[in-house]
Structures are given as C-alpha cells and as structure tokens.
C-alpha cells in the first residue's frame, strides 16, 4: 500500500475526490441561491427541492419517455427553470413587496409540498438512475482510481460555474443583474424591464438546481429527501461565501467540499459538522462572509 | 402647414394635472399642476421636504401610489410601469446619483438602454467629460463626488433621452464643478433638450432657467417666469428663506 509519512494516499485521494464532487454540487446549488438572493432578496428554500425535482425529472424522462441522459442534461434544467418561472410569476411576485419572511416561508412550503408529492408517488426509499454508457468505466491514476462519471461531474459543473460567472461579471446582461442587485428601482427607471429580469433570474437560478439534480442522478440515490439533506449545507456555504456573492458561492462551494473530504480522512467524526464550524468562525471574524461586501 | 401643426403639438412635452403621490400612508403631493414645453429648462424650487424630489419620482412612477394625470409626449402615463415611462424619452438623475458600485465607470455609462435614437456617442460624452474617459476602468463609486455627478449626467445623455429630470445635481460640489454643470446644461438646452431641475442652489438655477415652480408642503404655490425674478424676490425669500 502506498503510504507517505503514515498517510494512506489511496484513501486520502479517494476522500479528496468525493470532496470535489460534493463541492461541485455545493457550488452549483450555492450559485443558484446567490443569484436569486442578489436580485430578488429572497432566500430560496425550495432550491433543494428543485434539485430533487431535477433528479426525478431525469429519472422519469429516462424510464417513462426514453429520453437519454444527454438530452435530460439540456431539457430538465429548462423544464425546472420553466417551473420556477411559473412559481415566481404566480406565487412569489404577489408577495414581493411584503416582509421577506413571507417569501422564505412560501419557498419552504413549496419545498415541503414537492417533497411530499414525490414521497407519495415514489416512496422514500429512492430510485437508481442508469449510468450513461459513454461515462462508464474509469482511469487508473498513480494514487487512485478515477471513475469517468465523477471526472465528468467535476469538469462539467466547473464549466457551468465558470460560464455563469463570466456571464454575470463580464457581459451587459450581467451588468444589468449586478446593477439590479444594488438598486432595482433605479434600473427600472432607466428603462430596463426589471420584472422580466427578476423572472428570468429566478428561472435561471432554479434551472441550475435542476441541472445539479440531473448530474447527481447516476451517482446518488434519487430520493425525495435528497434536496433537504444537501440544502442545509448549501446555506452554510452561501453564508461563508457571503450572501449574494457569485464568485464567493462557487469558490466556497468547492472549498467546503474539499474541507469536508479532508476531514473525513483525518478526523471522520467531525466531517458532518466541519462546514458549520467554518461558518461559525467566518461569522465571528468576517460577518459579511469571505467574499461579501460589508454593509 | 402640417409640419407647423406637428411642431405646435410637440411643444408640450409634459403636463401634470392634479397629481397626488403617496409613500405608504404618507400623502406627499397634494394635487400639483405643471406644464413643461419642448426645449424649456424649468426648476422646482422649495425647501427640503416640500415635495420636489417626490414630483420627479412620481413622474417616473417610483412612489407608492399616484393619482391624477401625467401626460408625456401626449401619452397618459399614470398606469405605465417605470421602464415604459423611461422609453418615452426620459432620463432620470436621482439625488443620490445612483452610481453602481459593482460596475466600473464605463459599465455605468453603458448601463441604461437607449430610449431614443439620437443619443450622444460615447466619444462626444468623453469629450464633454474628459475625467470620465481617464477613469473609465475605475469602480464607479471610487470617483470623486463631482465625477460621479458627471457620470450620472453622462449616463442619461447617452440614452438619447430628451426630457431630463435632474435632482439636486449641484449638491455638495465644488464651485468649479457647479460651473461646469451650468455649461453642460446650457449646451443641452441649445440642443433642444427639455429639463426639469430640482435645485437648492438658486444662484446656479436662476441664470439658466426659463421658468421656476415654487413648491411648499406638496403644493405648487407659485410659477415665476425668468424675467419676473427681480420683482418677485420677496415671494422667493418667503418660501426659500434665501
């Protein structure tokens, strides 16, 4: 067995890989939350349920409709995004001017309803999604075995995060989003259709959750509570990165995945709590988050 | 003949009748009336809290509730969303200037979409405000107060807006910059732009304005033509305390 200063490199790299994969999902989900929080100023509690919806949609598409993984990767985020747009227009918009507590409760309620519906239809034990043929197998690296699908998750989600970051930070549409985050009312007085921007932003943010759901389906159990399990961690990540910070959400998501992986290797007992410990420390030292702007 | 008619009907750019405006429970404007014609520079004078800024914000539909009538270019806008009103050719420069800190100078400048075709080009704007050209990559809010004001003005000139609503643009600025702004406003007037100026600095406004509306407690209390200023000094003193 390859050891180096008493470190089992196989196990360490194995945990690092798991950490990176979890981090990829954290990053995608935190990114969606951050975008939505930035412009709508609401904490979207249904983000986890929409991630679950994405996974179930991929499963249903494959098993009932024969839609392949690759098509699901495109169609499911669009469908989840469209579902989000309907929610925004019919439920969130009417209470947009009320206290943000209402929208928080509303999105939490939506999450519970979705979770309840899928438990009712498919039970709570979970389903498995067949791995796409092209991504089966793996590569043997010096210190680890890298399954192709896991490599794909990391590369693809990083690519999606990078494109989203570029779109927000470097394009004109992104400038609208950033400016709208600061002062939506003035943006509208400049002639920008802010209500439409809000709808599209919400649709895009939850579309990212749907995409994460499709990516997760082949390696995680597709079950109704998969979203609520991950959401709490993702909230901690958004807090650590700084509410509404786009780059912060991505970097913190990946970093916390890795921190979690390392903790699993060095001190497994703390692996479920380490992210919350980091959150407490960050809140004590830098309350606006690592990448957030001080209010 | 038909062109003459067209010019005649185009003269009135903005007409406000019996406008009431509310912020939540607070009733701010109590039935104001005013008219602004093509190419005019009109000021709203009054003490702090007299409702001048609210008048501009009400025109943009940025207050809680409005009743009455606001006709812009012949179109009733009371039920129009803010962004649709902007596209009638209005450029709004808010009192707090509204420079976005997450955008650099150039992004701030390019942010508002064009609302009419004949806006100033970026070159013309940088020519008019050379400081902005030098600092185009700086974060918007890192500029000095004067430069931020120039940027807030430049931003709406690029959009082609031909009705400008300017809220306290000289507030807290050095005399040399106030002088520069007066030159800019005079140039814009020569180009035929229509301007409503909320102004505290009467000495800035008096030489460049065509008319003044005097506000007090959400009412229009007087309308003064530029040539009547001398004889109505006392009235102004009463309301402005200058």
């Amino acid at each position: 067995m390859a050891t180096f200063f008493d470190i089992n490199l196989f196990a360490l790299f194995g945990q690092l890989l798991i950490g990176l994969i979890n981090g990829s999902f954290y990053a995608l989900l935190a990114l969606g939350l951050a975008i939505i929080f930035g412009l709508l100023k609401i904490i979207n509690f249904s983000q986890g349920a929409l991630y679950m919806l994405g996974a179930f949609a991929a499963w249903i598409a494959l098993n009932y409709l024969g839609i392949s993984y690759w098509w699901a990767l495109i169609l499911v985020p669009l469908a989840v995004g469209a579902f989000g747009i309907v929610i925004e227009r019919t439920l969130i918009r009417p209470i947009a001017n009320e206290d943000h507590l209402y929208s928080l409760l509303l999105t939490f309620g939506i999450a519970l309803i979705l979770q309840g519906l899928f438990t009712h239809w498919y039970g709570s034990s979970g389903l498995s999604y067949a791995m796409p043929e092209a991504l089966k197998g793996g590569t043997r690296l010096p210190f680890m075995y890298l399954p192709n699908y896991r490599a794909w998750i990391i590369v693809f989600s990083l690519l999606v995060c990078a494109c989203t970051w570029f779109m927000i930070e470097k394009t004109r549409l992104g400038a609208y989003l950033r400016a709208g985050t600061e002062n939506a009312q003035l943006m509208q007085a400049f002639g920008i259709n802010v209500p439409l921007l809000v709808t599209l932003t919400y649709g895009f943010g939850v579309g990212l959750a749907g995409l994460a759901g499709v990516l997760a389906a082949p390696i995680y159990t597709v079950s109704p509570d998969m979203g609520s399990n991950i959401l709490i961690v993702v909230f901690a990540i958004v807090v650590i990165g700084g509410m509404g910070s786009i780059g912060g959400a991505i970097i913190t998501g990946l970093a916390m995945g890795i921190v979690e992986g390392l903790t699993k290797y060095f001190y497994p007992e703390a692996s479920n709590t380490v992210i919350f410990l980091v959150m407490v420390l960050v809140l004590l030292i830098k309350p606006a988050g690592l990448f957030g702007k001080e209010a | 003949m038909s062109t003459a008619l067209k010019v005649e009907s185009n003269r009135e750019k903005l007409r406000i009748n019996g406008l009431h405006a509310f912020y939540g429970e607070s009733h701010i404007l109590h039935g104001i009336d005013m008219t602004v014609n093509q190419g005019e520079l009109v000021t709203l004078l009054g003490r702090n809290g007299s409702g001048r800024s609210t008048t501009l914000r009400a025109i943009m539909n940025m207050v809680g509730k409005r009743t009455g009538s606001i006709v812009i270019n012949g179109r009733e806008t009371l039920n129009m969303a803010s962004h649709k009103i902007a596209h009638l050719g209005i450029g709004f420069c808010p009192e707090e200037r509204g420079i976005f800190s997450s955008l650099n100078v150039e992004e701030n400048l390019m942010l508002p979409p064009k609302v009419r075709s004949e806006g100033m080009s970026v070159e013309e704007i940088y020519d008019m405000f050379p400081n902005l050209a030098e600092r185009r990559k700086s974060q918007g809010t890192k500029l000095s107060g004067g430069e931020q004001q120039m940027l807030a003005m430049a931003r709406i000139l690029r959009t082609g807006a031909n009705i400008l609503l300017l809220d306290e643009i000289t507030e807290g600025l050095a005399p040399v910059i106030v002088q520069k702004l007066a030159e800019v406003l005079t140039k814009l007037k020569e180009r035929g732009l229509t301007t409503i100026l909320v102004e505290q600095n009467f000495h800035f406004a008096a030489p460049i304005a065509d008319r003044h509306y005097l506000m007090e407690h959400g009412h229009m209390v007087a309308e003064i033509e530029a040539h009547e200023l001398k004889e109505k000094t006392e009235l102004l003193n009463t309301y402005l305390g200058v």
Side-chain angles (χ1 to χ4, degrees), chain B residues 30-82:
Chain B
H30 300 264
I32 64 167
D33 301 300
M34 67 182 286
T35 315
V36 184
N37 295 319
Q38 159 92 49
E40 266 193 314
L41 197 159
V42 170
T43 71
L44 299 180
L45 301 174
R47 292 197 179 90
N48 279 334
S50 57
R52 300 165 304 149
S53 293
T54 305
T55 305
L56 296 191
R57 297 178 70 85
I59 294 170
M60 291 314 301
N61 195 1
M62 293 169 81
V63 295
K65 196 182 121 196
R66 314 177 296 169
T67 64
S69 161
I70 302 174
V71 175
I72 298 169
N73 287 333
R75 291 188 61 184
E76 176 59 59
T77 63
L78 209 72
N79 295 314
M80 249 188 223
S82 198

Side-chain angles (χ1 to χ4, degrees), chain A residues 172 178 182 185 188-189 191, chain B residues 57 62 83 87 101-102 110:
Chain A
R172 194 177 170 91
R178 278 177 286 147
E182 279 186 57
Q185 197 188 32
Q188 196 169 359
Chain B
R57 297 178 70 85
M62 293 169 81
H83 61 276
H87 283 277
S101 68
S102 53
M110 304 307 285

Side-chain angles (χ1 to χ4, degrees), chain A residues 56-279:
Chain A
F56 267 99
W59 188 90
I60 290 166
L62 181 68
N63 292 288
Y64 294 167
L65 309 170
I67 294 172
S68 76
Y69 174 82
W70 302 105
W71 277 108
L73 214 49
I74 299 166
L75 297 176
V76 169
L78 290 176
V80 173
F83 179 70
I85 283 175
V86 172
I87 288 183
E88 197 280 327
R89 279 280 153 136
T90 56
L91 298 172
I92 296 175
R93 168 97 24 120
I95 57 166
N97 294 324
E98 305 292 332
D99 193 312
H100 293 313
L101 194 60
Y102 289 98
S103 57
L104 193 149
L105 288 172
L106 173 77
T107 55
F108 188 49
I110 293 168
L112 291 178
I113 292 171
L114 284 174
Q115 205 175 326
L117 282 175
F118 279 90
T119 309
H120 176 70
W121 289 331
Y122 294 97
S124 54
S125 55
L127 309 163
S128 63
Y129 183 94
M131 179 78 65
E133 209 52 50
L135 292 172
K136 278 183 179 161
T139 316
R140 189 158 294 283
L141 300 175
F143 291 109
M144 61 187 294
Y145 175 74
L146 177 65
N148 288 342
Y149 190 78
R150 310 220 164 209
W152 158 251
I153 289 180
I154 297 169
V155 171
F156 185 68
S157 59
L158 277 182
L159 196 68
V160 170
C161 286
C163 288
T164 307
W165 179 86
F166 182 85
M167 196 181 79
I168 292 172
E169 298 294 335
K170 300 291 168 200
T171 68
R172 194 177 170 91
L173 185 68
Y176 285 175
L177 193 76
R178 278 177 286 147
T181 297
E182 279 186 57
N183 189 344
Q185 197 188 32
L186 182 60
M187 282 277 292
Q188 196 169 359
F190 282 152
I192 291 158
N193 190 341
V194 171
L196 181 66
L197 190 66
V198 163
T199 303
L200 293 179
T201 301
Y202 191 78
F204 183 78
V206 304
L208 282 176
L211 179 70
V214 182
L215 280 177
I219 53 164
Y220 294 151
T221 307
V222 178
S223 75
D225 60 2
M226 65 190 284
S228 53
N229 293 344
I230 198 172
L231 189 67
I232 305 300
V233 176
V234 172
F235 274 133
I237 283 162
V238 173
V239 172
I240 295 168
M243 285 307 255
S245 162
I246 304 301
I250 299 170
I251 293 167
T252 315
L254 284 169
M256 288 305 110
I258 292 169
V259 165
E260 208 178 36
L262 288 177
T263 315
K264 256 184 207 141
Y265 178 78
F266 288 106
Y267 190 63
E269 293 83 347
S271 64
N272 286 332
T273 41
V274 64
I275 290 178
F276 299 99
L277 282 176
V278 174
M279 182 180 85

